[in-house]
Amino acid sequence: MASAFAPGKCILFGEHAVVYGHPAVAVAIDQGVRASITESLEWKLEGMPFDPSRHPHITHIIQSVFHYDGPPLTLDVQSGLFSAAGMGSSAALSNAVGAALHSHLNADEPLDSVKLAKLAHSAEATAQKGRASPTDTATSALGGCVVISGEHVEGTRHVFDTSLVTPEGRREWSINVVDLSPRVREAWLVMGYTGVGSPTGRMVAKVAKLLSESPERSEDMEDISRITRAGLTALSAGNLEALGMAMDACHERLQRLRVSNPLLDRLVVAARPHSMGAKLTGAGGGGCMVALTEDPQRVAEAIEVAGGRPLVSRLGAKGVRVV
Ligand code: MEV
């Protein structure tokens, strides 16, 4: 049997804007997806017959990426992430399945996390009708703190470049990493799940429609880009207060892009008194918010009282690995 674990991610800044080439900053979180693969007599997923049409990410990895034509496989998947919730569960799934399959087929070859990030991004793009940034897949593959941008961002270490032809044209991204300061590593993220799943593809399409109908909304994208750069400076300097303020400002711009909703806003408001900052994270429309705090217990309680499901993590977990 071959098994691999890939972490989920939390976007601190730049969701949606990154689809249009602006920078985004994401960290890998402690929770993730574990995938195990064994050869068997028939194709199975979680003990049930495997239906490729219902699992586009897994199917893309097995068929289009690995061109697998060996004996049937049994796949088991355990996830510690809420799905369609902005935690990068589909990216973690693609990375974990890709890493487990790599280990099953080439046990002696070390895992190439950059290659895996690219493969998982192509799976994500296929499942999201061609509109997907490499944010989730790169963060889950590389771990730590990842900066995705249309161009190199000062103060970051370049890892690789990638591109995609989207319905709005060809996009190119530079994938970079930053080292987190000890002060940031000692802080906590508390993510609050609204209990409502929200498919990323639908929210990305909603923003694309808003921008084509109201081109002036691209000002919000520019603002998010500016806030992201300020957040990155705060992150590198270990300035948690400035980091939190930038998160609050980012939430306001995401509200203007109409990707927040009353459930998300309620959890954000509940978390703020005990946090340095709070915002929705990921695609919005449901899914999760995130708060940066030194008192995770208190924030988790506040989120629960406001009707959300909390999940606590440090910032910058390790990336995909064979386990
Ligand atoms: C989803 O986690 C983040 C979005 O920016 C979409 C993407 O980057 O592909 C909304």
Side-chain angles (χ1 to χ4, degrees):
M1 182 170 76
S3 298
F5 175 86
K9 66 92 195 23
C10 176
I11 298 185
L12 298 179
F13 302 104
E15 46 273 272
H16 288 290
V18 69
V19 177
Y20 298 86
H22 295 294
V25 180
V27 288
I29 58 172
D30 297 337
Q31 298 77 8
V33 173
R34 184 192 163 110
S36 308
I37 289 179
T38 35
E39 278 182 16
S40 62
L41 295 174
E42 49 183 326
W43 282 92
K44 283 199 167 162
L45 175 63
E46 290 297 299
M48 303 291 285
F50 178 63
D51 174 359
S53 66
R54 292 190 53 207
H55 303 283
H57 294 85
I58 297 178
T59 306
H60 182 83
I61 294 282
I62 293 173
Q63 291 177 358
S64 311
V65 172
F66 281 87
H67 306 291
Y68 180 78
D69 61 358
L73 300 173
T74 286
L75 289 104
D76 284 303
V77 174
Q78 291 161 336
S79 179
L81 304 169
F82 300 116
S83 60
M87 295 181 155
S89 65
S90 59
L93 174 68
S94 298
N95 275 329
V97 170
L101 195 54
H102 167 88
S103 156
H104 176 67
L105 298 173
N106 321 293
D108 300 335
E109 269 181 43
L111 194 64
D112 180 344
S113 54
V114 169
K115 197 168 154 199
L116 201 56
K118 290 185 178 175
L119 305 183
H121 182 212
S122 72
E124 197 87 320
T126 306
Q128 282 177 213
K129 299 197 172 65
R131 287 191 196 98
S133 81
T135 310
D136 296 14
T137 44
T139 309
S140 173
L142 302 178
C145 179
V146 176
V147 180
I148 292 92
S149 177
E151 61 204 24
H152 179 71
V153 178
E154 218 176 296
T156 65
R157 236 179 16 258
H158 179 253
V159 183
F160 70 98
D161 293 324
T162 190
S163 64
L164 182 73
V165 177
T166 74
E168 283 76 36
R170 185 182 163 85
R171 303 265 177 243
E172 302 198 346
W173 292 275
S174 162
I175 314 295
N176 309 276
V177 291
V178 264
D179 295 327
L180 294 173
S181 74
R183 178 119 200 266
V184 172
R185 287 203 171 274
E186 279 162 18
W188 299 88
L189 293 178
V190 184
M191 301 178 77
Y193 179 45
T194 54
V196 180
S198 174
T200 301
R202 195 188 301 158
M203 295 310 291
V204 171
K206 185 179 167 188
V207 171
K209 187 163 177 279
L210 178 74
L211 288 177
S212 77
E213 288 169 1
S214 315
E216 69 280 6
R217 291 270 66 89
S218 59
E219 274 172 29
D220 297 320
M221 293 289 187
E222 301 290 338
D223 278 358
I224 291 177
S225 181
R226 199 175 37 75
I227 293 164
T228 302
R229 286 167 206 274
L232 193 55
T233 306
L235 198 62
S236 309
N239 185 341
L240 295 181
E241 291 70 26
L243 192 56
M245 274 167 58
M247 288 169 74
D248 288 348
C250 190
H251 184 70
E252 196 198 309
R253 299 319 188 281
L254 291 166
Q255 283 175 317
R256 286 194 211 161
L257 286 174
R258 302 193 201 147
V259 293
S260 193
N261 68 9
L263 285 174
L264 282 165
D265 289 344
R266 190 165 76 209
L267 301 187
V268 164
V269 167
R272 277 192 178 147
H274 318 292
S275 308
M276 267 81 79
K279 61 182 276 289
L280 74 82
T281 182
C288 283
M289 48 68 69
V290 61
L292 176 75
T293 183
E294 285 173 319
D295 191 352
Q297 184 68 32
R298 194 84 190 271
V299 175
E301 280 163 14
I303 286 173
E304 233 166 349
V305 169
R309 286 155 73 183
L311 200 138
V312 178
S313 172
R314 292 281 192 191
L315 287 81
K318 273 205 288 183
V320 65
R321 55 228 181 234
V322 171
V323 289

